[in-house]
Amino acid sequence: MLITHFKQAWQLLRQNKLFSGIYIFGTALAITSTTLFGIVYYVKIAPVYPEYNRSRQAEITSAEEREGKSMSQSGISLLGIKDYIYKLKNATDISAYVELWLPHAVNFDDGRPDLNIKLKPADPAFFKVFSYEFIDGSPFSQIDFESGIKKAAISDFTAEKIFGTTDGVVGKTVSIDFTNYTVCGVFSEGSAINATSFAHIIVPYTSVDGFADPHPTKPFMGSYKAVMLTDNLDALKAETRAMESRYNADHEGHKLSLWDQPESILTMAFKEWPGDTNFDWAEALRHNSLILLVLLLVPALNLSGMISGRMDSRSSELGLRKSFGATDRHLLSQVLWENLLLTIIGGAIGLIFSWFIMSTEAGWLFASIGGSDIDNSYVVRLTPDMMFAPAIFAFAFAVCIILNILSALAPAWLSLRRPIVNSLKDK
């Protein structure tokens, strides 16, 4: 029966090329928009390379410290990291890193122009929180870190640009801002979409001049951020609130606030900034559900109008078949399968177009839809598990089915409810 329905649907597709083409294009447009919307949030919250521990991951990205009428907002100082953040007991692994915004470069002595890079000074725990895959070598060690030795773990793409290969580069020297570092390992590069874990080169923050960056009047303010893994986020938040109180007691006249941090990846995906005290989960879900509904309903309504007109032109055919004993259920099933074939074709085209956009315009896509803070001076790539995720395939297929039902069911049912005599008069 299904084979018969698909054969009939294929014949109708060939006979009505204009209708089929418009229907397929409309479906492809709907699938493209909803798939891109889904991928943006999938990439922001799903366990993707190298952030496979996202269900346990939490971050402290900024802080506020007041002293009298003076107030500062920034990252965390090294004092804050060592004396307070590192001592949190409800986190299994805690890593501190410096988010550098000024440009950094690899220098060459063979006449090549400098290579702009994303440099990330961090501690060894950074490689425990994030599951980097090392092609060669290994991360810098705890001893390297404590000694301030200038070791560098570099990405595979960066190694190709600097040395022309990823093989045999461990032990070689690379000049970063005219300071020589020894390559200790080569890792598979992640995506710039994930700002916390992304880097071209990762070095010990103890090897960077001025890494202590003391603030003249507010000891907790600095350039560091913290990312950690926890099995009990609520307990970690409670411990952090107690830590704030302890800091304020230790520094009379100061009031430190980390707001509701540490925050989970899920919260950070929807919250505009850590200090957004007006954030409402229900409102965020309503907002995004409304966007998704509009992306689905607008093309579905347009396609439904097309199908309604198409059903009017086929009313005599359907009336004739009903007069020979075809049931409404059989005819409705055939119409749905016909439209499902068009929807599948349009869906496949939509998915291909989505992947094309992701491959060529990932930076623009995530900055405009997801609000991600992406430096487009770097090449923005998506890793394979971002591009080809089972959840996205399932999501796209579900959209195909929903679009087919929304656009075809109502006009087909209304047409089939017409009396046979009235349908035959249209012949």
Side-chain angles (χ1 to χ4, degrees), residues 130-424:
F130 299 118
S131 305
Y132 284 98
E133 297 174 1
F134 274 78
I135 300 170
D136 192 13
S138 60
F140 49 81
S141 67
Q142 185 68 31
I143 295 176
D144 295 333
F145 173 75
E146 292 174 357
S147 303
I149 295 176
K150 298 187 183 302
K151 294 284 187 74
I154 67 176
S155 76
D156 49 355
F157 290 114
T158 306
E160 288 280 359
K161 291 178 180 178
I162 298 174
F163 302 107
T165 181
T166 59
D167 297 327
V169 302
V170 172
K172 291 186 176 182
T173 300
V174 58
S175 175
I176 305 173
D177 299 329
F178 301 102
T179 300
N180 289 334
Y181 280 78
T182 302
V183 176
C184 61
V186 180
F187 61 88
S188 296
E189 187 172 292
S191 173
I193 301 299
N194 298 326
T196 302
S197 60
F198 176 72
H200 295 119
I201 300 180
I202 305 172
V203 300
Y205 66 65
T206 53
S207 69
V208 179
D209 293 338
F211 74 93
D213 78 335
H215 192 282
T217 60
K218 299 179 179 62
F220 206 87
M221 298 290 97
S223 303
Y224 291 79
K225 297 184 178 183
V227 57
M228 57 202 72
L229 301 180
T230 179
D231 296 319
N232 191 334
L233 182 59
D234 291 335
L236 181 60
K237 283 179 178 288
E239 185 183 7
T240 306
R241 302 291 80 76
M243 179 268 289
E244 288 177 12
S245 300
R246 187 170 69 255
Y247 176 87
N248 292 330
D250 293 342
H251 298 80
E252 186 177 353
H254 288 249
K255 180 174 175 55
L256 171 68
S257 176
L258 296 175
W259 301 294
D260 196 37
Q261 299 178 99
E263 289 183 319
S264 67
I265 288 295
L266 184 61
T267 301
M268 293 177 65
F270 291 93
K271 205 171 185 179
E272 291 189 8
W273 63 292
D276 184 7
T277 57
N278 296 319
F279 177 75
D280 181 10
W281 263 113
E283 178 60 29
L285 290 174
R286 281 196 299 269
H287 174 74
N288 287 281
S289 298
L290 180 61
I291 293 175
L292 187 58
L293 188 62
V294 169
L295 292 175
L296 266 178
L297 276 183
V298 170
L301 290 174
N302 289 332
L303 294 176
S304 182
M306 290 176 56
I307 294 172
S308 181
R310 178 66 184 153
M311 293 304 296
D312 286 341
S313 66
R314 295 181 62 187
S315 60
S316 58
E317 171 205 338
L318 297 176
L320 186 62
R321 293 180 63 182
K322 288 173 68 175
S323 67
F324 279 95
T327 63
D328 286 348
R329 181 178 178 180
H330 176 80
L331 294 175
L332 181 62
S333 175
Q334 179 185 334
V335 172
L336 289 177
W337 280 106
E338 290 172 0
N339 286 280
L340 181 60
L341 175 61
L342 296 175
T343 304
I344 291 173
I345 295 173
I349 295 173
L351 282 176
I352 293 171
F353 192 47
S354 300
W355 286 326
F356 174 76
I357 293 176
M358 287 186 291
S359 300
T360 58
E361 298 294 339
W364 167 84
L365 174 67
F366 281 81
S368 58
I369 297 179
S372 301
D373 189 9
I374 299 170
D375 189 342
N376 284 304
S377 62
Y378 308 124
V379 177
V380 179
R381 301 182 182 90
L382 296 184
T383 58
D385 54 350
M386 295 177 181
M387 296 281 287
F388 303 98
I392 298 301
F393 282 116
F395 176 77
F397 183 74
V399 169
C400 284
I401 300 300
I402 293 171
L403 197 63
N404 175 64
I405 294 174
L406 289 176
S407 60
L409 187 60
W413 178 251
L414 291 174
S415 179
L416 290 172
R417 287 179 61 86
R418 296 176 63 184
I420 295 177
V421 175
N422 292 344
S423 297
L424 291 175

